[in-house]
Amino acid sequence: MFDIFMRTTWIFSAVSFILFVTQPIGTKLHFFFSIISIGLMIVISWLRLGGVFRHIFLALGSIIVIRYLYWRIAETIPDPSQIADFIPGMLLLVADLFCITMLALGLFVNAQPITRPAAPQLREEDLPSVDVFVPSYNEERDLVATTLAAAKALDYPQHKLKVFLLDDGGTDEKFYSFDDAVSLTARARRADLQQLCAELGVTYLTRERNVHAKAGNLNNGLAHSAGDLVVVFDADHVPAREFLRETVGHFATEPKLFLVQTPHFFINADPLERNLQTFKAMPSENEMFYGAIQKGLDSWNAAFFCGSAAVLRRAALDEVGGFAGVTITEDCESALELHSRGWKSLYVDKPLIAGLQPETFESFIGQRSRWCRGMLQIFMLKNPLFNKGLSLPQRLCYTSSNLFWLFPLSRLIFMISPLFFILFNLQIYNASPQSFVAYTLTYIVAVILIQHYLYGSLRWPWISELYEYIQSVYLLRAVMSVIANPRAPKFNVTQKGNSLAEDELSPLAWPFYAIFAFLLGTFGYTAYRYAMEPAARDLLIVIGAWNVFNTVMAGLALGVVSERRERRKIQRLDVGRRGSLLIGDQEVPIIVKDASVGGLKAEIAGGDGRQFGQLVMPGRHQATIRIDSRAGARLSAEVAITSATSVDDRRSLGLRFLGNNCDRYRIIADIAYGDLSAMRALRASRQNRQGLLVGTARTLVWAAREALRGLFFLLFRRNVRANATGQQAVLPTPGMRSPEALPQTGLASEPAPAVVRPAVAPPASGRSARLPDVSLADFAPGTRA
């Protein structure tokens, strides 16, 4: 009876709501109602009220949006007989409908986000066995080695933990390639990484060919491992020591749990953050997704696999034949398959890895292009709306995640729409200035307030619009390519770990300069029309303001593509760990202040550092650094003293690692990445809410500053790299040859079985079986890529 009563109440409320928002109450009355609603929303937002006030806030905003939508469709569409007005008018309406649809889906997803409690801690005998996969393609040795060392040092019983390097850069296809350069590089890489794995106690795996890209590589790992759980870390995602302790326990409480996903936290700035110098002050772009959206998805059992920093149940993967490889976003596609089979996912909002994101604008666009194409592939080839295995909330959640990537189309339409009136006097939006203020302006304010209320501490005002604009210029082609042929996109590897030695203009910069110049010229023409056409001034003010907003975004974009130098390929991390330097028979106590795989900055501890002045002079002595690991073991590595400076009584030392053994990777993994609490504190410190007025003023100042800097770069920094950093890697044309046909290089011509187990036939699921490993004895000593 109660259930029937609640359903009846819900239906009555819904019908009453629809009747209310569709009533022609008049422009003035609507404006008055909207102002009252916006006032209440501002109070709720300013006081940061939650609970029932959250629903009141979203309901008030939704009423304004729906009334705008009804008015927009009923009264503003141009006359179809005026084709020049009607076609662009309909394009603008479609863009409006898309944005309102995405807003509605976003409100649904984030209606009531949840924060999971800590994972239960299990007894050692109850812990499942874990296989850690580190897929790699072309990452540098130092990146791979640091991640592997940290994976081996995870706080977990070692007899239940096995780490695998899945090397797709040393496949047999490359090893026997007809291209001598490809063959030599693959052979040297395979030998180098096998030696690295042997020293670290990691299992090296490769395969015959790069079939199905990362998904195929992960499936090859599944075919040659047997752990109850599978952990995936990208080669540049270094895990914290407690990663498994914070995640594995959740699987014991839910037998149908297939995924525990954690956030991706990055220790370096993306191109926007670096070039606008906001990394330490402003929330990073990914924090809105990992800090709010994934928590909202989790409330509907729709948090999905993000490709790394996640734990998955092998039994679930076996049920669907491994990681999905139909699209180029194997992570979200795999989660979709498993959710449709009734499996559950869970999101832990605690950064437990430290990763790298693309440093250059070119590599950033390459990464986002792959995400865009892959998510649209999922929608077109595996449309979640019609997936009968998903619940309705899950269908809406996946649809929201997929369709978001159509934003380049709407962003382009919103950019060109004002120009139809300013340049050609086309009436594509039938509304008086009074109606525009009453409906459109209040709608825009309501949407901005909703975004600020939901994401204010995770995304500053207007930053979403800037990120969308800088991507849209190049992602538009990606969108159209998937629409034309959903099966065409191929997996491209994102370049990371690059650095810029000098300030320079991005190779992708020219369209942004052309757009800015055109919009600036249009602004001048608007001023001319305002002076010459008094009858059109009201509309010119409204539409001219729209064009000014687009010009502000275009000016900011000039700063994003004007790339500041970043000499460090690997970021130094603050640590604060005690240790010692052994120089001859004398031990010097030190505090390590920061660290990277290249070296350390240390300070002599225990009083007056000048007492060791002669002993620690640069170039005088080699030394051994000793650190007690978090697991209780003594770690040591050979270092050279490269610098020594004194400030008051403090003596600071620059230390460079010597040799190429794995000791330094174990030390770096322990002191820099073993505890990520400092990085989590940085993440929390950036999540400060900025007011709308302050944020708007800041954006205008930024736009003026960055437009001027962009013009300076155009005049004086146009020497683009001959080989642009961030160029996407291209797989060699498949071509295999016999060992006898290989060039004489000092490398053995035939790989021989080495470590794990003999090759096996591909399983019925279609996974690629692992080919025989190559023994270290097969290669000449000292070879390295």
Side-chain angles (χ1 to χ4, degrees):
M1 181 64 69
F2 179 76
D3 183 58
I4 295 175
F5 172 76
M6 292 302 295
R7 288 174 183 267
T8 304
T9 302
W10 184 88
I11 293 172
F12 177 78
S13 301
V15 171
S16 301
F17 177 78
I18 294 172
L19 290 175
F20 170 73
V21 299
T22 57
Q23 291 305 303
I25 61 177
T27 301
K28 291 184 178 179
L29 186 57
H30 170 80
F31 181 69
F32 178 76
F33 168 79
S34 298
I35 291 298
I36 296 296
S37 298
I38 287 172
L40 292 173
M41 293 171 68
I42 290 173
V43 171
I44 294 172
S45 178
W46 185 65
L47 296 176
R48 300 187 185 182
L49 302 177
V52 68
F53 290 100
R54 179 186 180 92
H55 297 288
I56 293 173
F57 179 96
L58 297 179
L60 291 171
S62 299
I63 291 174
I64 295 174
V65 171
I66 295 173
R67 283 200 57 83
Y68 164 78
L69 177 61
Y70 177 76
W71 169 80
R72 180 78 172 85
I73 295 173
E75 300 186 25
T76 67
I77 300 175
D79 186 349
S81 65
Q82 302 297 320
I83 196 69
D85 296 337
F86 183 72
I87 292 178
M90 289 304 295
L91 287 176
L92 181 57
L93 177 62
V94 169
D96 252 347
L97 292 175
F98 170 76
C99 290
I100 292 173
T101 300
M102 295 310 301
L103 175 64
L105 289 172
L107 292 178
F108 175 80
V109 168
N110 294 283
Q112 198 64 50
I114 60 173
T115 299
R116 297 285 184 174
Q121 298 303 304
L122 307 179
R123 297 177 302 175
E124 181 173 329
E125 57 268 26
D126 296 329
L127 290 171
S129 56
V130 175
D131 292 327
V132 177
F133 291 167
V134 181
S136 175
Y137 182 78
N138 62 353
E139 294 83 3
E140 293 187 2
R141 184 183 198 268
D142 284 346
L143 286 176
V144 177
T146 305
T147 301
L148 293 176
K152 281 293 294 182
L154 288 170
D155 183 14
Y156 208 73
Q158 289 300 299
H159 67 284
K160 293 190 174 185
L161 177 68
K162 195 166 187 179
V163 181
F164 295 81
L165 173 62
L166 310 180
D167 179 27
D168 248 9
T171 59
D172 280 10
E173 176 184 32
K174 295 180 176 68
F175 195 96
Y176 293 127
S177 172
F178 285 109
D179 186 324
D180 290 345
V182 171
S183 177
L184 291 174
T185 300
R187 287 165 164 263
R189 176 184 173 86
R190 190 189 285 191
D192 188 28
L193 293 183
Q194 280 198 316
Q195 181 180 8
L196 173 70
C197 290
E199 292 179 14
L200 288 173
V202 171
T203 302
Y204 175 91
L205 289 177
T206 190
R207 53 185 177 140
E208 181 180 358
R209 298 178 63 183
N210 302 92
V211 180
H212 296 305
K214 184 178 178 180
N217 197 13
L218 292 171
N219 286 335
N220 189 49
L222 287 177
H224 294 87
S225 59
D228 301 317
L229 302 178
V230 172
V231 179
V232 180
F233 297 126
D234 282 347
D236 56 355
H237 282 188
V238 186
R241 177 172 161 76
E242 75 265 32
F243 182 91
L244 293 177
R245 293 294 184 186
E246 296 285 346
T247 54
V248 166
H250 289 294
F251 288 90
T253 60
E254 176 51 69
K256 290 296 289 183
L257 183 67
F258 82 90
L259 169 72
V260 173
Q261 178 68 57
T262 70
H264 293 184
F265 178 83
F266 300 107
I267 61 175
N268 66 319
D270 69 25
L272 185 148
E273 293 167 330
R274 188 185 74 251
N275 297 328
L276 300 188
Q277 297 182 314
T278 64
F279 180 65
K280 292 186 177 180
M282 184 179 75
S284 193
E285 184 204 16
N286 66 88
E287 290 179 37
M288 179 171 152
F289 176 74
Y290 288 110
I293 296 175
Q294 273 281 49
K295 295 165 72 172
L297 293 170
D298 194 19
S299 68
W300 300 110
N301 185 30
F304 59 83
F305 178 37
C306 297
S308 181
V311 189
L312 301 101
R313 193 187 297 270
R314 178 183 294 272
L317 291 170
D318 287 342
E319 183 177 310
V320 294
F323 293 91
V326 174
T327 72
I328 58 174
T329 45
E330 81 296 328
D331 41 17
C332 183
E333 183 188 353
S334 298
L336 176 64
E337 291 289 337
L338 287 161
H339 275 133
S340 68
R341 300 279 188 111
W343 290 89
K344 298 180 180 180
S345 63
L346 183 148
Y347 176 67
V348 173
D349 184 27
K350 183 177 183 179
L352 295 169
I353 61 99
L356 292 178
Q357 54 189 335
E359 295 87 347
T360 66
F361 183 70
E362 194 173 5
S363 56
F364 173 83
I365 290 298
Q367 180 193 65
R368 301 312 164 92
S369 178
R370 174 165 59 84
W371 292 357
C372 172
R373 289 177 292 146
M375 295 299 271
L376 292 179
Q377 276 186 297
I378 291 175
F379 186 75
M380 297 185 70
L381 299 177
K382 298 191 172 184
N383 194 311
L385 283 174
F386 303 106
N387 190 318
K388 296 181 180 179
L390 299 176
S391 66
L392 178 59
Q394 287 176 321
R395 296 185 197 189
L396 296 177
C397 288
Y398 273 103
T399 298
S400 175
S401 299
N402 295 158
L403 289 186
F404 164 79
W405 289 97
L406 289 174
F407 72 80
L409 297 175
S410 62
R411 184 61 56 187
L412 175 66
I413 292 171
F414 288 134
M415 185 189 303
I416 66 174
S417 288
L419 308 181
F420 287 111
F421 176 77
I422 294 172
L423 299 179
F424 308 111
N425 205 33
L426 297 180
Q427 307 294 318
I428 69 172
Y429 195 104
N430 287 337
S432 66
Q434 294 78 13
S435 297
F436 183 89
V437 171
Y439 286 92
T440 307
L441 189 59
T442 56
Y443 155 73
I444 292 172
V445 171
V447 170
I448 292 171
L449 287 173
I450 290 171
Q451 292 174 339
H452 189 64
Y453 179 76
L454 293 177
Y455 314 117
S457 61
L458 303 170
R459 182 68 55 85
W460 283 3
W462 312 115
I463 296 301
S464 288
E465 286 74 16
L466 178 58
Y467 268 107
E468 288 188 10
Y469 170 67
I470 63 174
Q471 295 177 73
S472 295
V473 173
Y474 283 97
L475 264 57
L476 181 64
R477 183 171 62 178
V479 171
M480 300 309 296
S481 70
V482 177
I483 293 174
N485 186 354
R487 298 186 181 275
K490 304 299 181 185
F491 191 99
N492 289 326
V493 177
T494 302
Q495 297 287 334
K496 299 178 185 177
N498 301 317
S499 61
L500 297 176
E502 301 294 339
D503 293 347
E504 64 180 43
L505 205 58
S506 170
L508 303 183
W510 73 265
F512 297 95
Y513 283 90
I515 293 170
F516 178 72
F518 187 77
L519 293 178
L520 202 60
T522 305
F523 174 76
Y525 185 65
T526 305
Y528 169 78
R529 283 194 62 189
Y530 182 86
M532 301 302 294
E533 302 177 32
R537 285 178 179 176
D538 288 345
L539 281 175
L540 281 170
I541 289 175
V542 171
I543 298 177
W546 184 356
N547 189 58
V548 166
F549 172 79
N550 290 336
T551 307
V552 167
M553 289 295 112
L556 272 170
L558 298 189
V560 177
V561 298
S562 300
E563 308 239 48
R564 299 181 189 271
R565 65 181 182 179
E566 176 59 75
R567 296 181 185 272
R568 295 190 187 278
K569 297 182 71 172
I570 302 296
Q571 302 295 313
R572 284 187 174 271
L573 303 176
D574 295 333
V575 289
R577 284 285 295 278
R578 289 188 174 272
S580 63
L581 280 179
L582 185 63
I583 306 175
D585 58 355
Q586 190 161 359
E587 192 163 9
V588 180
I590 61 171
I591 299 174
V592 179
K593 306 299 287 185
D594 63 46
S596 74
V597 292
L600 311 166
K601 180 181 178 181
E603 185 178 284
I604 295 178
D608 190 354
R610 290 175 295 183
Q611 62 181 305
F612 300 105
Q614 294 300 315
L615 190 64
V616 295
M617 290 295 289
R620 288 286 184 88
H621 304 283
Q622 293 185 8
T624 300
I625 184 171
R626 292 177 172 176
I627 299 286
D628 289 331
S629 76
R630 300 178 194 279
R634 172 64 61 90
L635 302 175
S636 63
E638 301 301 310
V639 296
I641 301 173
T642 58
S643 66
T645 58
S646 296
V647 178
D648 297 329
D649 293 337
R650 296 185 176 183
R651 185 79 164 167
S652 295
L653 307 176
L655 308 175
R656 175 173 55 85
F657 288 110
L658 297 175
N660 205 24
N661 59 43
C662 292
D663 293 336
R664 65 161 140 176
Y665 302 120
R666 295 188 180 95
I667 286 180
I668 294 301
D670 187 87
I671 66 174
Y673 299 98
D675 180 8
L676 298 184
S677 57
M679 299 180 198
R680 287 192 282 268
L682 170 63
R683 179 181 185 246
S685 70
R686 292 188 308 204
Q687 293 179 357
N688 53 87
R689 185 181 294 264
Q690 190 168 85
L692 290 172
L693 294 178
V694 173
T696 300
R698 183 215 64 231
T699 301
L700 293 173
V701 172
W702 276 3
R705 182 192 73 190
E706 296 305 320
L708 291 174
R709 189 171 71 88
L711 294 175
F712 175 82
F713 270 62
L714 181 65
L715 295 174
F716 303 106
R717 295 285 188 271
R718 286 187 297 173
N719 293 327
V720 179
R721 292 154 284 162
N723 295 314
T725 302
Q727 183 177 1
Q728 297 301 309
V730 179
L731 294 179
T733 302
M736 306 291 284
R737 53 180 165 168
S738 65
E740 293 78 10
L742 291 169
Q744 298 302 311
T745 62
L747 298 176
S749 60
E750 180 66 22
V755 282
V756 189
R757 62 187 72 162
V760 296
S765 65
R767 303 186 194 122
S768 299
R770 171 187 160 231
L771 290 180
D773 289 296
V774 179
S775 170
L776 296 176
D778 291 336
F779 296 89
T783 305
R784 175 156 294 133

